[in-house]
Amino acid sequence: MHHLERQPDNLIASSNIADSSDFPPKLLNGVKEQGKIPPPNEPEGRPEITTGTERNAVLPALQPESGSRKDNKAVPWYHTSLTEIDPITRGLLENYSKIPSDQVMQHVFAISYFRPTPGQSLTPSSSTLTQREKAWDVYPYPCIGQFLFLNLTINLSPYYPTLVSRLRDSNHTLLDLGCCFAQDVRKLVSDGAPSENIYGADLYGDFMDLGFELFRDRRSLKSTFFPADILNERDLLLKGLDGEMDVVYLGLFLHHFDFETCVRVCARVTRLLKPKPGSLVMGVQVGSLVGDTKPIPIPSGGILWRHDISSFEKVWEEVGALTGTKWKVEARLERGKGFGEKWQIEGTRRLGFEVSRL
């Protein structure tokens, strides 16, 4: 019997699931024998995908970034040290990944020569290539700079125990869209969800490969991971899951889009779900006590748009009108790790939500 821990209010991350019956054969190391996966806007028939469980599987990033952007560490959310790992994440690394307790910190930093003295915080040095530095080189998201990829978000939802039961007992499917390291996928699997029913997608395939390094489960995890662009209507990999998902999880994802684009993204997400009552979109994002009315530029690239509960409900009203569907929105604003930092705009909160089809 799998035990679902009681969760504190200070965690952060991302995750999701899906059905594999409609997927073509998998790739070897993320590439075809005669070349790479064609970009979504250049279909060559239906592309194959990899489960990511092959040894040394590498999924290509769709949009590699320039050095000037990824090397920018002069931002307030780039933390130079890590003094502790959240106990739930530590438990996942020890019990799921089978990493000895006294080696967890060293593993997270992938230390080659640098060894801290007792009580010393771990600080990357020139001889240390860390998991976080590798991820920062993929894309400098604030969640990477703050080490938030080491925290979980899916378990923060009050719906989480029911979600695990649906996945475990009813053979439901879930897609973690914008999964990053897919740390929430590992949380679901560790709590009893069948990994073969869980899918993960991210714009940057390198994040998913780093997830295999972090959790040491390349051979055992049967989940399917693939690079995808939710804004590309011709993305064949996402189209292969249309109508197949019971749940789509959006962890730290929707705040990257302005209001109109958020409506467009959510409308596209609804097509991934099975067209029946009870299909669910859930997640967490950066929110605010007072919703934004214009996008906030992020120095390292992209934008931030913080919804309050009212504006988030408005998004789903427009999604319903656009798609001819009806949705029940349950949302809450919370404090938590990574939210309410001194460098953040006043009123910033964590917005958690569950949106179910009526």
Side-chain angles (χ1 to χ4, degrees):
M1 182 173 183
H2 297 271
H3 176 65
L4 306 183
E5 301 102 314
R6 181 172 168 270
Q7 310 299 346
D9 184 48
N10 63 345
L11 310 178
I12 285 297
S14 48
S15 195
N16 296 19
I17 333 182
D19 183 346
S20 62
S21 60
D22 197 38
F23 275 85
K26 56 191 176 185
L27 302 175
L28 176 63
N29 294 332
V31 296
K32 290 183 178 180
E33 291 184 4
Q34 301 300 322
K36 295 182 179 180
I37 300 174
N41 60 348
E42 297 178 11
E44 297 178 1
R46 189 167 191 172
E48 300 171 333
I49 71 168
T50 178
T51 64
T53 57
E54 302 85 2
R55 183 173 178 80
N56 298 322
V58 177
L59 300 173
L62 296 184
Q63 296 180 7
E65 294 299 313
S66 65
S68 60
R69 176 175 293 182
K70 72 182 182 183
D71 292 338
N72 178 18
K73 298 177 181 178
V75 289
W77 55 82
Y78 183 85
H79 296 179
T80 58
S81 65
L82 178 68
T83 57
E84 62 180 357
I85 297 175
D86 183 88
I88 301 238
T89 305
R90 174 179 278 277
L92 193 62
L93 291 169
E94 292 178 7
N95 301 316
Y96 171 81
S97 302
K98 307 301 181 185
I99 299 171
S101 177
D102 61 354
Q103 297 178 23
V104 169
M105 274 291 206
Q106 287 84 350
H107 169 70
V108 167
F109 273 90
I111 290 176
S112 52
Y113 300 108
F114 175 75
R115 300 268 177 195
T117 58
Q120 179 184 4
S121 63
L122 295 176
T123 303
S125 68
S126 59
S127 62
T128 303
L129 181 60
T130 72
Q131 290 281 348
R132 197 274 298 268
E133 300 311 296
K134 295 176 187 178
W136 187 265
D137 283 348
V138 176
Y139 195 91
Y141 288 119
C143 62
I144 300 297
Q146 297 178 84
F147 294 98
L148 294 184
F149 64 91
L150 292 175
N151 292 330
L152 307 169
T153 54
I154 196 165
N155 53 305
L156 300 179
S157 169
Y159 186 77
Y160 183 72
T162 301
L163 172 65
V164 172
S165 295
R166 285 180 62 178
L167 298 174
R168 185 178 58 207
D169 303 331
S170 302
N171 208 32
H172 282 191
T173 57
L174 179 148
L175 169 65
D176 187 350
L177 188 59
C179 65
C180 196
F181 278 47
Q183 57 270 42
D184 287 322
V185 168
R186 273 71 176 199
K187 175 61 176 168
L188 286 166
V189 173
S190 73
D191 284 334
S195 64
E196 61 269 22
N197 291 343
I198 302 177
Y199 294 75
D202 199 283
L203 188 63
Y204 303 102
D206 287 341
F207 282 146
M208 295 177 278
D209 199 53
L210 286 171
F212 286 117
E213 291 186 26
L214 180 62
F215 291 102
R216 294 182 175 178
D217 58 358
R218 193 182 298 276
R219 290 183 177 274
S220 59
L221 187 67
K222 296 180 175 60
S223 299
T224 298
F225 297 98
F226 59 97
D229 183 355
I230 191 66
L231 293 175
N232 187 345
E233 288 288 339
R234 301 175 67 188
D235 191 313
L236 297 181
L237 296 177
L238 281 178
K239 282 187 175 182
L241 291 182
D242 279 351
E244 298 294 332
M245 297 298 102
D246 291 290
V247 184
V248 174
Y249 184 73
L250 306 173
L252 297 179
F253 181 71
L254 291 179
H255 55 243
H256 294 295
F257 308 106
D258 61 30
F259 186 92
E260 290 76 16
T261 309
C262 185
V263 171
R264 176 183 163 196
V265 167
C266 290
R268 177 65 186 92
V269 166
T270 65
R271 301 209 317 258
L272 293 163
L273 293 168
K274 294 177 180 177
K276 64 179 185 179
S279 291
L280 179 69
V281 179
M282 59 184 294
V284 65
Q285 65 190 73
V286 179
S288 177
L289 297 177
V290 179
D292 293 326
T293 58
K294 60 182 180 180
I296 302 169
I298 299 176
S300 57
I303 64 138
L304 172 69
W305 187 290
R306 304 169 308 155
H307 286 282
D308 58 19
I309 292 176
S310 178
S311 67
F312 189 72
E313 290 174 339
K314 180 64 175 175
V315 166
W316 285 94
E317 288 178 13
E318 296 202 12
V319 169
L322 190 64
T323 60
T325 55
K326 292 184 178 181
W327 301 86
K328 177 184 178 181
V329 177
E330 296 184 11
R332 59 209 163 270
L333 290 168
E334 308 164 316
R335 294 183 181 274
K337 185 175 181 180
F339 298 87
E341 301 278 348
K342 292 181 179 179
W343 52 266
Q344 289 178 333
I345 301 171
E346 184 178 357
T348 296
R349 295 290 187 273
R350 179 175 63 213
L351 174 62
F353 58 87
E354 294 81 35
V355 184
S356 55
R357 181 165 178 171
L358 300 177

